[in-house]
Amino acid sequence: MQIDIHKENPIILGIETSCDETAAAVICGRKILSDEIASSAKTQALFGGVVPEIASRMHTDEIASVVDNAIKKAGITYEDIDAVAVTYGAGLLGALLVGVSFAKSFAYALGKPLIAVNHIRGHLAAAYLVATELKPPFVTLLCSGGHTAILYTPDETREEVLGGTLDDAVGEAYDKVARVLGLSYPGGPNIERCIAEGDGKPVVPMPKMLKGGGGYDFSYSGLKTAVINYCHAKQQKGEAYSKADVAASFQCAAIDVLVEKTMTAAAEKGVTTVTAGGGVAANGYLRRRLQEECAKRGYTLVLPEKRYCTDNAAMIASEGLIQYRLGNFAGLDLNAKASIPLSATLKKGDC
Ligand code: KG4
Ligand code: ZN
C-alpha cells in the first residue's frame, strides 16, 4: 500500500460509534466535506439513559448506510479516500466494536490505511475544524458525559492533562440531576430548556466546588448529591420548589468552576488561546462565560459549533489527520478498548 503522508490535503473518512451516535464524516485537509449522524438518543431517552445493548444494535443497523451517505454527500468515490480513522476507545465496548470491525473491513477491502483514534483526542481535534489555522500552544476545557479535564497542548501531537474530575464527569452530573428533576435524557439540553422557564438566578444554595484548593481537579458527586437531597427533602415535606431555580443553581455551580480553572490554567501556561470540546461545551451558559472571560483577558477562544462539541465523526477524522501526518497507522489486529488513558495515542503494534 502506497501512503503519502506529506500529501497536502488528504481525504480522511472518520467513523465514530463509542456511545449512542452512529457517525461518519469525510474531511479534506481540515475542511469538512460531509458529516452524518444517526442517534439512538430518542430510544435511549425511554430508558432514562444509554442502554449499551440498544446502542450496539443501532450501530449495527445504521453503520453501513451512515458511511455510505457520508461518502456520497462528500461527492467523492471510495478510491479518493486516503485513510479510514475510527474511534477505538474509550466508550461502550460493544458499541466501539461495531465501528472498529466495520472500519477494519472497509479499509482492508479498499486497500486503505487504518487509523485508531482516541475519542477524547477527537474532542480536542474538533477545534482544528473551526479554526483551520489554529496552532498550539493552547489550553482546552474538555467536558463531556465521560470526562472533565483541563489539558495543555504544547504541540499537535501531545497534550498534558493538568487536572480532571475525581469522581463524576460534569455531563454525567447534568444527566443525573435532570433525572431527579424529571427531565429526560440527554440531561444537558433539557436542563437548559428548564432554566429558560425561570430567571436563571442561582438562588438555591449549592456546595462549594473544589475551587482554588483543588488545583485543576474537579468533583461533581457532592453537587449532584446536594441537588438530590434538596429535591427529596422538599418532596418529603410536601413543599413546592422551582425546578428552574434548582437547575439554574446547579448549572452555575457546575460551570463557573470550569471556566475559572480554565482561565487560571491559560495564565499559568502563558497561552493566549483557549479551546473547548465535549458535549457540555454545547451549553449556552458555558459558552457565554468562556467568551466573557477570554474577552476580558484578550485571549482567542476557539469554540467548535455545538454539533461538533457533542459526539460526531468529523472530529475523529480531524484527529485521524494528525495521526496520518505522523504516519501512525493501525494494523488489522486493532481492537476496541472500553477504557484508555485520557490522552493515549495508539502506536502501531500496541493493539
Ligand atoms: O461528548 P458527548 O456527546 O459524549 C461523551 O463523550 O460523553 O457528551 C454528552 C454529554 C451528556 O452528558 C449531555 O447531557 C451533555 O454532554 N450535554 C450538555 C449539553 N449538550 C450535551 N450538557 C450541558 N448543556 C448542553 N447543552
Ligand atoms: Zn464524546
Side-chain angles (χ1 to χ4, degrees):
M1 188 190 313
Q2 283 279 51
I3 310 171
D4 175 11
I5 63 168
H6 302 294
K7 185 171 178 180
E8 200 178 347
N9 288 313
I11 293 187
I12 314 278
L13 167 68
I15 296 177
E16 154 65 34
T17 63
S18 67
C19 192
D20 57 344
E21 258 98 31
T22 316
V26 177
I27 61 170
C28 173
R30 286 178 173 181
K31 184 167 185 265
I32 301 170
L33 299 186
S34 67
D35 168 36
E36 292 292 297
I37 298 187
S39 173
S40 62
K42 280 206 179 120
T43 313
Q44 307 286 6
L46 301 174
F47 298 89
V50 178
V51 180
E53 181 63 19
I54 293 177
S56 308
R57 282 168 191 253
M58 168 137 177
H59 291 316
T60 311
D61 288 346
E62 297 287 342
I63 186 109
S65 60
V66 167
V67 170
D68 199 42
N69 285 342
I71 292 169
K72 281 194 187 122
K73 289 193 181 165
I76 57 159
T77 65
Y78 290 168
E79 238 350 272
D80 296 325
I81 296 169
D82 290 299
V84 179
V86 63
T87 306
Y88 78 99
L92 303 170
L93 192 60
L96 288 164
L97 275 170
V98 178
V100 168
S101 313
F102 189 92
K104 287 202 290 190
S105 19
F106 200 75
Y108 178 69
L110 296 179
K112 305 287 180 184
L114 180 71
I115 299 171
V117 171
N118 173 343
H119 181 81
I120 292 306
R121 284 191 54 109
H123 276 302
L124 285 178
Y128 291 113
L129 300 172
V130 201
T132 51
E133 299 308 315
L134 174 66
K135 284 201 170 50
F138 51 79
V139 158
T140 303
L141 169 62
L142 177 89
C143 43
S144 69
H147 293 92
T148 306
I150 296 184
L151 301 109
Y152 167 59
T153 301
D155 63 61
E156 261 191 18
T157 62
R158 65 199 164 97
E159 61 276 322
E160 193 185 314
V161 182
L162 300 179
T165 182
L166 303 173
D167 38 58
D168 293 353
V170 59
E172 196 181 345
Y174 263 94
D175 294 336
K176 287 180 178 160
V177 164
R179 203 183 301 182
V180 174
L181 295 177
L183 307 170
S184 63
Y185 175 85
N190 289 323
I191 284 192
E192 276 201 295
R193 276 180 216 114
C194 174
I195 293 171
E197 288 166 18
D199 63 9
K201 298 238 162 65
V203 288
V204 179
M206 291 288 153
K208 274 200 177 353
M209 301 298 286
L210 280 181
K211 290 220 167 164
Y216 294 116
D217 286 335
F218 303 98
S219 168
Y220 281 97
S221 83
L223 178 60
K224 171 197 71 188
T225 307
V227 175
I228 294 172
N229 290 345
Y230 177 88
C231 297
H232 285 175
K234 288 283 182 190
Q235 284 155 8
Q236 275 162 5
K237 289 187 210 153
E239 290 175 11
Y241 62 95
S242 155
K243 286 185 184 181
D245 284 351
V246 176
S249 308
F250 158 76
Q251 173 160 281
C252 288
I255 299 293
D256 289 349
V257 66
L258 294 175
V259 177
E260 184 186 306
K261 292 196 179 198
T262 306
M263 293 304 122
T264 310
E268 191 189 295
K269 288 292 173 188
V271 304
T272 54
T273 303
V274 171
T275 77
V280 182
N283 181 273
Y285 177 67
L286 172 64
R287 296 171 82 85
R288 195 174 69 242
R289 292 288 300 116
L290 280 174
Q291 273 152 1
E292 286 164 0
E293 294 304 318
C294 284
K296 266 189 217 163
R297 294 163 176 82
Y299 293 167
T300 303
L301 175 65
V302 178
L303 262 184
E305 271 171 51
K306 292 185 182 188
R307 68 171 289 155
Y308 297 118
C309 290
T310 47
D311 288 351
N312 66 89
M315 69 182 199
I316 301 305
S318 178
E319 168 62 12
L321 175 63
I322 293 171
Q323 299 305 323
Y324 181 93
R325 288 189 169 139
L326 292 170
N328 192 12
F329 300 106
L332 289 176
D333 53 349
L334 175 67
N335 207 349
K337 288 203 162 84
S339 136
I340 50 176
L342 204 61
S343 60
T345 298
L346 197 70
K347 301 279 184 318
K348 196 164 180 185
D350 284 354
C351 42

